[in-house]
Amino acid sequence: MTTTAVPATTRKDWSSDQEVRWCPGCGDYSILAAVQMLLPDLGVRRENTVFLSGIGCAARFPYYMSTYGLHSIHGRAPAIATGLATTRPDLDVWVVTGDGDALSIGGNHLIHALRRNVRMTILMFNNQIYGLTKGQYSPTSEIAKVTKSTPFGSLDTPFNPISLALGAEASFVARTHDMDRQHMQETFRRAHEHDGAAFVEVYQNCNVFNDGAFEKITGRDVRAEMLVPLVHGEPIRFGAEREKGVVQRSDGRLEIVDVAEAGEDAILVHDEHREDPGLAFALSRLAHGPYEPTAIGVFRAVERPEYGAEMARQIAATQERRGLGDLKGLLRSGATWTVA
Amino acid sequence: MTTTREPTEQHPHARHQLDRVVIRFAGDSGDGMQLTGDRFTASSALFGNDLSTFPDFPAEIRAPAGTLAGVSAFQVQIADYDILTPGDTPHVLVAMNPAALKANLGVLEKGATLVVNVDAFDERSLAKAGYASNPLSDGSLSGFTVYEVPMTSLTQQVCKEAGVKPRDAERSKNFFALGLLSWLYTRPVEPTIEWIATRFADKPLIAEANRRAYLAGLHFGETAELFEATYEVRPAHFPPGEYTQVTGNQALAWGLIAASRLSGLPLFLGSYPITPASDILHELSRRKEFGVRTFQAEDEIAGIGSAIGAAFGGALGVTTTSGPGVDLKSEALGLAVNLELPLVLVDIQRGGPSTGLPTKAEQADLLHAMYGRHGEAPLPIVAAKTPSHCFEAAIEAVRIAVKYRTPVILLSDGYLANGAEPWRLPDVDALQPIDPGFASAPNHVDEDGTPVFWPYARDPETLARPWAPPGVPGLEHRIGGLEKADGSGNVSYDPHNHERMVRLRAAKVAGIARDVAPVEVDDETGDAELLVLGWGSTYGSIVAGVRRARARGQRVASAHLVHMHPFPPNLKEVLDRYRVVLVPEMNLGQLSRLVRAEFLVDARSLTKVQGVPFRAGEIESAILSALGGDA
């Protein structure tokens, strides 16, 4: 809208005057801080930034931002964002959601926003539990989870959100976690740069209803051994001495090996631009749950036509060909006759 | 009926003049009866008749061929005076097979004319239709004038010469029927010939087959010595102007485009395909030169969700659907009520509950539109009354939505959606502009004197809140489904604030009554005892029924509501003027319930839920019995 230089801002400029009401110790605080501290670096304007959400703890996020914001209804944020992003290409549209909001009640909207590649940055806080409704199991909870609604243990197989997004034809898929601000910011920055729908899963600790869900992989002392950073163009290695790596067997299976034994050349080099999502899918399933070495970072970032831009292109091409719409002509587009 | 031409050697057929005729084309779902009826209608419109149509087809695309369930019909009334309905009882039935005959025989005028495709009356087809014996020969049609025409074989014969295989030629038999009826009712020929050439331009062989079949039908009438006369229905006397023929869905789509122009707001339609609303999506998706964005969503919820997102961004957000879709959109509609954003939800009503009767009309969503949301969630409701009125109704719905920052439900139904009528084109330059009135500056000063923007500071007159799409520095704000503090819009759980907000939202919607046209009463003599109060697509039947009752010497008034919520400000005064208030509806009495509750009027309900419109005769009888019973 405005053409003058983007004013310099600080975290404070992106914080609203509303008191943050998450439980003390909630992982959401560090994600909020990461976003508020990143935005001054992105060269964007507050008035052109919109945070949209559905329902759940994560969905309160827009109230704490000093941008435009819309806290909507359960699961529908990607649908609402689609209408906003396609009519207002000048805006930065962020969707903040949770595992229940995005994968349960809103699963349909998420997968379709991803396949259409509508320009929006989706941050999905995954804490593997329902927080706002006080502790029922979620679609990412592990099997046999005992909660208020599953006193004998849950029966359903959980979703793997990264696998789901890849299966939904997402053009940008990443994972990060609430214990590492720098990794979050780098991942969010990449997601924001992406021209299309960007999906970021954020492992987030709910210290009230599912405390420590990710501590086996994100704890400071275990992180080096349990998180497998994906860096484009580099061999996929991890461990305190980067002594472990991922190799692909001849049957397509991925396996974690000692680099010394397998040889450096055998280690898989990460390519986030691969057209075929198969390898990214395999990487998303390196761990069976947050207790085994788990890949984080950008799984996939490919270029694909953005939905809103394509919609605008069709309109522009039609107007080029037919001229701007003429209402009088429209009403006369069928047969007409005159009565004297 | 007068005779305008006696038979001569050159013209062996007499020509009789009729003031009106009702024709029903009926055949198998795959026989092209809708196309035939459409074309007959279009040439009648160009000829200058008044007309009204009633497409009546099954939900199945191709139900089992030859069965009663698969019969598709198109009824059209053409007249030399202004008519309001497609006619109660057809004078002519064109039956392409035994099932079409059997399914429609019961609705015909006494002594009606039957034009049957005799080729289709073989043993197998008769059995499929459930005929034990052939009605053409067993005497059961003795009360009718029956013309047996071998439509299939004659069509195949003329197409063979053009190199069309008999099987393909068989599909052109509807054009034979069209040609024959066009001859019988002296319809202009050239427009249809031209239309066939254009419509099938990319399929020359099919175009040729259809043209030949059409001409063969015309020639058959002329030469077969089967018919003793032809008929003509002279042009009607219309007010001067330029006319076109529209269906309700087409007029509604055009009304939305017009409203987009009038408001300067880009039109965004979020929609999921559903009968009988899909044609609005189709029509708007063709009109990209108007900058219209159409989004075929993954479901009904995303349809309205995307429209809300577009409205938040400052576009004209619209979603179109039918009853089952309204069910799914209810939660999002409540959000729009709470967000107080302009939005139009178009409900093309059909028979319910559940999947119900997808292709048949009903008016049973009125109470759903009024009350179908949790919490106190009032919103304005506008209802279209004729196919062409859908244009005006769409503009009115947008005007209210934008001015009052509220979702509006626009009610139409399957009968209006697919029905067609001549429409005198409005002067688009005379349409009133709609001012979006976007917020452009802070509207409040906080405690320390800083100008701030309050998203829920209201206009004192309309009670509408400011509409501030993103992009303006200083107006950043957050809104949502949680209850908000009056003014600042911040989340508030304060009990008194909640009550204030509930009452404010209700007062805002109620106040729209001051801004809508009073309901007009048609009371010729000014001393009528009975008022027929209607809404929606029953308009034509009601006015026709009232005319008939008046012709019998009854003093009857009628009024038709367009604003269903809030009601026009003079409605109570109007209702109080009449001893008897009769409310015909295609439901079990929804408007009658509303007026009884609101005005303590002892309204009498006349209801019909057969998926077909009221006949004028049914309205007439109800008027007579209401007056007679009281006398």
Side-chain angles (χ1 to χ4, degrees):
Chain A
M1 299 238 124
T2 20
T3 51
T4 50
V6 177
T9 55
T10 63
R11 175 182 178 180
K12 196 166 163 285
D13 296 309
W14 294 88
S15 314
S16 78
D17 60 354
Q18 297 297 294
E19 186 192 351
V20 183
R21 293 187 189 173
W22 288 311
C23 307
C26 175
D28 289 358
Y29 283 95
S30 68
I31 309 173
L32 178 66
V35 171
Q36 287 173 340
M37 290 160 81
L38 171 70
L39 284 162
D41 286 347
L42 293 183
V44 294
R45 292 172 185 278
R46 209 166 60 172
E47 67 269 22
N48 290 346
T49 304
V50 182
F51 279 84
L52 298 176
S53 64
I55 293 293
C57 293
R60 299 297 174 97
F61 200 96
Y63 289 122
Y64 309 137
M65 302 298 297
S66 60
T67 63
Y68 285 87
L70 177 50
H71 174 220
S72 74
I73 43 178
H74 210 4
R76 317 303 172 202
I80 294 170
T82 297
L84 180 62
T86 51
T87 48
R88 292 292 305 273
D90 57 319
L91 302 178
D92 256 348
V93 178
W94 298 75
V95 170
V96 180
T97 179
D99 42 316
D101 192 54
L103 302 180
S104 208
I105 196 165
N108 199 32
H109 308 305
L110 177 73
I111 57 175
H112 289 278
L114 293 177
R115 83 172 163 91
R116 289 191 188 104
N117 205 32
V118 187
R119 198 180 39 75
M120 64 178 83
T121 312
I122 303 170
L123 309 182
M124 192 201 79
F125 303 180
N126 181 9
N127 54 20
Q128 302 189 335
I129 198 79
Y130 278 79
L132 198 64
T133 50
K134 302 190 174 65
Q136 300 82 7
Y137 78 116
S138 94
T140 54
S141 297
E142 66 277 14
I143 294 184
K145 189 165 192 72
V146 174
T147 71
K148 278 185 195 154
S149 61
T150 50
F152 298 93
S154 63
L155 303 172
D156 0 355
T157 299
F159 267 136
N160 177 325
I162 301 289
S163 300
L164 181 81
L166 290 166
E169 307 292 342
S171 58
F172 184 98
V173 181
R175 177 189 283 148
T176 184
H177 67 97
D178 63 1
M179 298 287 284
D180 186 341
R181 178 174 299 157
Q182 203 186 339
H183 193 269
M184 274 194 283
Q185 290 189 334
E186 189 45 36
T187 309
F188 297 163
R189 181 198 304 276
R190 288 287 316 280
H192 174 260
E193 278 167 9
H194 182 70
D195 187 21
F199 177 80
V200 182
E201 177 188 22
V202 188
Y203 282 160
Q204 172 252 325
N205 190 43
C206 172
N207 58 321
V208 174
F209 294 108
N210 201 20
D211 195 23
F214 304 104
E215 103 186 321
K216 286 198 180 88
I217 58 170
T218 62
R220 281 186 201 287
D221 45 343
V222 295
R223 217 180 276 174
E225 303 297 326
M226 298 300 277
L227 292 178
V228 182
L230 302 175
V231 181
H232 179 68
E234 291 188 13
I236 304 173
R237 294 175 62 166
F238 65 105
E241 307 292 327
R242 301 187 73 229
E243 71 282 7
K244 282 177 268 189
V246 175
V247 297
Q248 187 171 29
R249 298 301 184 198
S250 56
D251 62 357
R253 203 158 38 89
L254 298 188
E255 205 174 293
I256 292 167
V257 295
D258 283 329
V259 176
E261 277 175 34
E264 286 192 16
D265 291 349
I267 305 302
L268 193 63
V269 174
H270 183 52
D271 178 4
E272 60 189 33
H273 305 323
R274 273 175 74 110
E275 199 45 52
D276 174 6
L279 201 52
F281 190 83
L283 283 166
S284 74
R285 311 177 78 78
L286 199 59
H288 294 89
Y291 48 86
E292 292 178 335
T294 301
I296 62 164
V298 178
F299 287 74
R300 177 174 167 83
V302 295
E303 278 183 34
R304 198 145 64 75
E306 193 276 319
Y307 187 78
E310 289 296 291
M311 206 183 240
R313 188 182 55 74
Q314 279 191 343
I315 289 173
T318 308
Q319 290 178 333
E320 177 84 44
R321 203 169 63 247
R322 297 186 195 160
L324 290 182
D326 162 40
L327 196 54
K328 288 179 187 167
L330 175 70
L331 302 191
R332 288 160 181 79
S333 55
T336 62
W337 65 97
T338 302
V339 175
Chain B
M1 187 167 77
T2 56
T3 302
T4 55
R5 193 178 71 198
E6 294 299 338
T8 63
E9 201 161 318
Q10 200 189 351
H11 296 285
H13 300 96
R15 183 177 290 173
H16 302 310
Q17 196 178 326
L18 303 171
D19 59 352
R20 68 180 185 109
V21 65
V22 180
I23 302 172
R24 194 167 168 93
F25 296 91
D28 228 19
S29 303
D31 280 347
M33 289 298 100
Q34 301 303 320
L35 192 72
T36 309
D38 256 347
R39 212 34 243 167
F40 190 86
T41 304
S43 62
S44 299
L46 287 174
F47 183 69
N49 295 126
D50 196 4
L51 57 89
S52 174
T53 72
F54 175 39
D56 187 11
F57 48 88
E60 291 76 17
I61 305 301
R62 295 273 165 95
T67 62
L68 291 175
V71 174
S72 170
F74 187 102
Q75 185 169 318
V76 55
Q77 172 162 222
I78 55 176
D80 66 4
Y81 62 97
D82 71 312
I83 49 159
L84 299 134
T85 74
D88 287 5
T89 47
H91 305 107
V92 182
L93 173 71
V94 178
M96 300 304 284
N97 66 11
L101 178 70
K102 191 167 190 187
N104 290 292
L105 212 51
V107 302
L108 301 179
E109 182 90 359
K110 213 171 152 193
T113 298
L114 307 177
V115 182
V116 297
N117 176 18
V118 69
D119 288 335
F121 281 67
D122 54 32
E123 234 169 82
R124 206 162 147 257
S125 304
L126 287 164
K128 268 194 199 166
Y131 276 120
S133 63
N134 189 341
L136 298 180
S137 54
D138 67 6
S140 61
L141 302 178
S142 58
F144 299 94
T145 306
V146 185
Y147 295 110
E148 296 179 28
V149 184
M151 298 190 201
T152 311
S153 50
L154 288 174
T155 302
Q156 283 168 333
Q157 207 176 313
V158 294
C159 289
K160 194 177 167 191
E161 297 151 21
V164 182
K165 289 188 201 116
R167 227 190 132 124
D168 297 333
E170 194 265 338
R171 288 198 206 125
S172 292
K173 64 180 185 295
N174 58 328
F175 281 89
F176 185 98
L178 178 62
L180 179 57
L181 270 287
S182 298
W183 171 79
L184 196 55
Y185 289 94
T186 28
R187 301 290 91 189
V189 174
E190 276 313 310
T192 297
I193 297 282
E194 281 168 29
W195 177 85
I196 291 173
T198 318
R199 167 79 186 245
F200 301 99
D202 54 343
K203 295 170 190 140
L205 205 58
I206 293 177
E208 182 57 16
N210 290 341
R211 192 183 70 88
R212 281 170 175 259
Y214 173 67
L215 291 174
L218 283 166
H219 298 155
F220 179 83
E222 184 77 37
T223 56
E225 295 187 7
L226 195 58
F227 303 91
E228 74 278 6
T230 64
Y231 302 88
E232 70 176 339
V233 179
R234 295 237 162 126
H237 293 285
F238 285 106
E242 197 179 0
Y243 285 78
T244 194
Q245 178 200 327
V246 279
T247 65
N249 274 352
Q250 200 175 18
L252 201 154
W254 291 356
L256 292 172
I257 290 176
S260 161
R261 273 296 158 90
L262 295 171
S263 60
L265 299 171
L267 177 57
F268 177 93
L269 174 72
S271 183
Y272 188 77
I274 185 170
T275 303
S278 302
D279 281 340
I280 304 171
L281 169 63
H282 303 161
E283 177 64 22
L284 288 175
S285 62
R286 294 169 60 206
R287 305 296 180 186
K288 301 210 186 306
E289 65 269 31
F290 289 90
V292 180
R293 282 174 163 76
T294 52
F295 170 60
Q296 183 177 315
E298 58 271 23
D299 59 22
E300 295 281 358
I301 299 168
I304 187 171
S306 60
I308 289 173
F312 181 72
L316 174 55
V318 177
T319 187
T320 48
T321 189
S322 186
V326 184
D327 294 352
L328 287 164
K329 292 178 198 293
S330 299
E331 188 196 17
L333 206 50
L335 174 69
V337 168
N338 205 2
L339 295 177
E340 302 191 44
L341 279 173
L343 185 83
V344 174
L345 183 153
V346 179
D347 175 9
I348 311 294
Q349 300 166 95
R350 65 189 219 188
S354 190
T355 310
L357 304 171
T359 60
K360 310 290 177 189
E362 206 161 273
Q363 297 180 299
D365 295 356
L366 176 60
L367 293 181
H368 190 194
M370 275 296 285
Y371 301 120
R373 292 160 297 282
H374 71 274
E376 295 287 352
L379 50 73
I381 305 167
V382 174
K385 60 182 182 181
T386 69
S388 66
H389 181 251
C390 289
F391 180 81
E392 245 174 80
I395 296 175
E396 176 66 354
V398 172
R399 180 189 74 86
I400 293 173
V402 170
K403 182 168 177 184
Y404 293 90
R405 318 308 199 200
T406 176
V408 174
I409 292 184
L410 171 56
L411 294 174
S412 170
D413 64 36
Y415 173 51
L416 295 180
N418 294 317
E421 65 177 355
W423 179 35
R424 184 158 68 129
L425 295 176
D427 175 6
V428 295
D429 296 328
L431 297 172
Q432 289 298 308
I434 297 168
D435 179 12
F438 289 135
S440 56
N443 56 1
H444 187 77
V445 178
D446 73 6
E447 286 154 15
D448 54 10
T450 316
V452 292
F453 178 65
W454 272 19
Y456 281 79
R458 293 173 190 278
D459 178 294
E461 196 186 323
T462 60
L463 296 181
R465 76 173 192 90
W467 188 10
V472 183
L475 303 192
E476 293 89 351
H477 63 282
R478 277 68 54 194
I479 56 178
L482 285 170
E483 186 58 283
K484 293 166 251 334
D486 183 16
S488 76
N490 288 327
V491 174
S492 168
Y493 301 124
D494 176 76
H496 294 289
N497 174 75
H498 175 59
E499 174 148 9
R500 191 156 64 246
M501 291 297 275
V502 167
R503 292 185 188 281
L504 272 168
R505 286 187 287 263
K508 178 179 84 166
V509 173
I512 296 170
R514 295 191 296 269
D515 190 22
V516 304
V519 63
E520 284 176 33
V521 184
D522 172 19
D523 186 350
E524 261 185 346
T525 50
D527 62 352
E529 278 181 83
L530 179 146
L531 174 78
V532 185
L533 179 70
W535 71 280
S537 72
T538 51
Y539 176 76
S541 313
I542 289 175
V543 176
V546 166
R547 280 184 191 170
R548 289 190 189 188
R550 283 176 183 166
R552 288 171 174 262
Q554 300 292 347
R555 289 165 300 160
V556 185
S558 71
H560 212 76
L561 291 171
V562 171
H563 296 96
M564 308 307 298
H565 188 235
F567 285 132
N570 65 331
L571 185 57
K572 178 173 170 46
E573 181 268 316
V574 166
L575 296 174
D576 286 347
R577 252 187 267 164
Y578 297 93
R579 188 170 60 84
V580 185
V581 174
L582 178 69
V583 185
E585 293 176 89
M586 291 164 66
N587 57 42
L588 293 186
Q590 301 196 2
L591 173 62
S592 69
R593 198 170 290 229
L594 289 177
V595 295
R596 290 175 80 98
E598 180 112 2
F599 303 116
L600 287 174
V601 171
D602 189 13
R604 296 191 189 187
S605 191
L606 171 65
T607 60
K608 179 177 185 179
V609 281
Q610 298 169 15
V612 292
F614 277 103
R615 295 178 184 177
E618 290 168 336
I619 305 282
E620 178 194 8
S621 309
I623 293 170
L624 297 179
S625 94
L627 285 173
D630 272 40

